[in-house]
Amino acid sequence: MVVIMLDSLLKPYLNKYKSQRCYPGLIFKQGQRTMLQINVPATEIANLLQAKPLTANNPDSGKDRPEIKGHVEEIKDYVIERASNNEPWLLATLTANVAPEDITVIELGQGFCLVIIPHDVKLDVTDGQHRIKAISEVAQSTLGALINEDYFPVNLILESNFRQCQIDFRDMAQAKPVDKSLLLSFGEASGRTGITNKLIEQVSMFRGKIDRVKKAPDKKGKLIYTSNYIATLVSYAFADSQNDKLDDFSVEECSQVLAECLNQFFSECIQTQQIAQTSVEKLTVDEVNSFKKECLLGVSMGIQFLGRMLYYTYDKTKNQFDASKVSELAQLDWSRDNQLWRGSLVRVDPKNTKSDSNYIVFGSGAVGDAVTVVKASLGW
């Protein structure tokens, strides 16, 4: 009965504006302005919305930032992969602006409305230019059937002032990026993410000692690593690559063999034995800080380097790490004072002339140099 009544209410308007684009919507106030929300089919995104990024180093030439190279492809790959595998996926709400006089809004009461947009009017993107381009390209490709029945919410700001549109973009860009560790903690139980989350519980050196939310551990706390540090180790150990997703690797089998490998290493390494065998509740902040300060394995670069070395002990066909080689690595002196690391991962701070304080070099070149030196010293 409700459907019939609503249909009879909308039919006159739909007939009147049938030559234009007509969307059911919501109307509301925010920030002293009128805003609308409509849902747009994937097939109409390209013709309805347009990006106006600035060009030629001229801020007055557009309403949002220049396109970031490669970001559209990342979004397309994400959508296509999930949709092809019949898995859930989600893109954030798009935001656009339009001059109020360019469209017609018919208020139906209680915040409901009809939004009439002529075919010669396009909505300017405030936030979401990469998502819009990705949606359009997928919808217009041979893979269009994957998303052509999907709808995308659009928040529409009724705004004709060009400068205010730029301010709106700036305001929406103020959100702080989510740290990689939290993204991993919220990630799927597959590939690198799944293996990482398993290791955090299975490896005594990690259990209870991982910051799973922040970019880096608190210097005044007892957490030693972050989820992202461990994910990097995992990628290097199995694929000798920093960001390999390891989609084809079994989470259960690979997490088990790497956990056994790491537990062996940390229990045999003199610099990590005490930390690995002590629960986080019994560790003191001073003990943790001393470990981070004195041992290469107490910082992200050291863990990354360990992952790269473990790769040379890994037999992919058998899915196992060579225990004898892992022992060789564990027998190394992992303290920063070891001359083995000098000139690669560890160098003397040139600004500190009163002592020989060491500092860690962060960079793939430094790690590569250290790998070459250590492999030569071990005869690998």
Side-chain angles (χ1 to χ4, degrees):
M1 185 67 177
V2 174
V3 174
I4 295 174
M5 290 175 61
L6 186 59
D7 183 64
S8 61
L9 173 66
L10 297 179
K11 189 173 182 180
Y13 298 110
L14 296 176
N15 287 337
K16 180 178 179 180
Y17 296 103
K18 61 183 179 182
S19 62
Q20 303 182 58
R21 292 171 295 199
C22 186
Y23 302 98
L26 300 174
I27 184 169
F28 58 98
K29 296 284 187 179
Q30 186 184 103
Q32 302 181 31
R33 285 176 297 167
T34 300
M35 300 181 68
L36 310 170
Q37 184 174 72
I38 59 176
N39 295 312
V40 180
T43 53
E44 296 181 17
I45 290 289
N47 291 325
L48 181 64
L49 292 109
Q50 64 180 358
K52 287 189 174 181
L54 62 87
T55 59
N57 197 34
N58 178 11
D60 293 329
S61 63
K63 294 183 178 181
D64 49 29
R65 64 184 173 185
E67 183 178 318
I68 299 175
K69 186 177 181 180
H71 190 33
V72 171
E73 292 302 317
E74 291 174 344
I75 299 172
K76 287 170 60 178
D77 290 345
Y78 161 76
V79 171
I80 291 170
E81 179 182 355
R82 293 294 187 87
S84 297
N85 293 324
N86 199 29
E87 296 176 347
W89 54 275
L90 176 68
L91 294 182
T93 299
L94 307 168
T95 302
N97 57 80
V98 68
E101 60 270 19
D102 289 344
I103 66 173
T104 300
V105 179
I106 302 173
E107 296 193 44
L108 303 175
Q110 300 298 314
F112 294 98
C113 64
L114 283 179
V115 182
I116 315 300
I117 305 176
H119 286 286
D120 61 350
V121 171
K122 284 205 170 189
L123 312 179
D124 292 341
V125 177
T126 305
D127 179 64
Q129 62 169 314
H130 298 91
R131 278 165 276 154
I132 288 168
K133 187 172 182 180
I135 295 166
S136 300
E137 290 184 2
V138 174
Q140 295 171 353
S141 73
T142 56
L143 298 174
L146 291 174
I147 69 167
N148 281 349
E149 293 186 5
D150 289 292
Y151 282 71
F152 297 87
V154 178
N155 279 339
L156 185 55
I157 306 169
L158 302 186
E159 182 60 66
S160 56
N161 185 284
F162 180 84
R163 181 57 179 161
Q164 183 60 53
C165 292
Q166 290 183 319
I167 293 173
D168 290 340
F169 168 79
R170 181 205 63 185
D171 291 347
M172 296 195 71
Q174 298 302 310
K176 183 179 179 180
V178 179
D179 289 328
K180 291 183 179 180
S181 291
L182 182 56
L183 293 177
L184 282 164
S185 297
F186 282 0
E188 298 176 272
S190 61
R192 179 184 64 169
T193 300
I195 296 170
T196 297
N197 289 329
K198 288 277 189 181
L199 290 181
I200 288 173
E201 301 300 328
Q202 295 172 346
V203 178
S204 61
M205 188 69 182
F206 303 155
R207 191 180 305 119
K209 302 159 190 169
I210 304 293
D211 192 321
R212 306 185 68 171
V213 176
K214 298 179 182 177
K215 182 179 181 180
D218 189 339
K219 294 181 179 179
K220 297 181 180 180
K222 294 191 288 185
L223 302 182
I224 302 172
Y225 308 115
T226 70
S227 298
N228 195 48
Y229 294 2
I230 310 307
T232 301
L233 179 152
V234 171
S235 292
Y236 274 124
F238 285 113
D240 196 27
S241 171
Q242 183 173 358
N243 295 308
D244 196 298
K245 294 183 179 179
L246 305 178
D247 289 333
D248 297 328
F249 287 71
S250 166
V251 171
E252 294 298 329
E253 294 176 4
C254 291
S255 62
Q256 181 178 346
V257 297
L258 185 51
E260 292 173 356
C261 164
L262 290 170
N263 280 323
Q264 175 194 344
F265 174 86
F266 290 124
S267 65
E268 294 181 7
C269 176
I270 293 176
Q271 283 80 23
T272 59
Q273 284 176 349
Q274 188 261 337
I275 297 289
Q277 294 169 4
T278 306
S279 67
V280 69
E281 291 80 12
K282 295 182 179 180
L283 283 173
T284 67
V285 173
D286 287 342
E287 286 175 325
V288 171
N289 286 337
S290 294
F291 173 66
K292 292 178 180 179
K293 182 178 179 181
E294 298 169 5
C295 183
L296 195 64
L297 295 167
V299 295
S300 61
M301 185 57 68
I303 285 293
Q304 176 179 323
F305 173 68
L306 174 61
R308 289 202 63 177
M309 293 308 303
L310 289 178
Y311 175 76
Y312 296 103
T313 76
Y314 179 59
D315 184 336
K316 186 173 183 179
T317 58
K318 297 180 180 179
N319 191 31
Q320 65 182 28
F321 293 88
D322 188 323
S324 62
K325 286 190 173 183
V326 173
S327 289
E328 289 184 57
L329 287 174
Q331 299 313 308
L332 293 174
D333 179 1
W334 288 82
S335 66
R336 296 194 191 190
D337 292 332
N338 186 359
Q339 292 297 316
L340 187 64
W341 317 119
R342 291 298 176 95
S344 57
L345 292 178
V346 178
R347 299 177 186 175
V348 176
D349 186 350
K351 297 180 181 180
N352 191 343
T353 58
K354 296 181 180 180
S355 72
D356 62 346
S357 299
N358 298 329
Y359 69 99
I360 305 295
V361 178
F362 291 90
S364 58
V367 174
D369 291 343
V371 168
T372 300
V373 170
V374 173
K375 286 180 66 179
S377 71
L378 295 174
W380 290 6

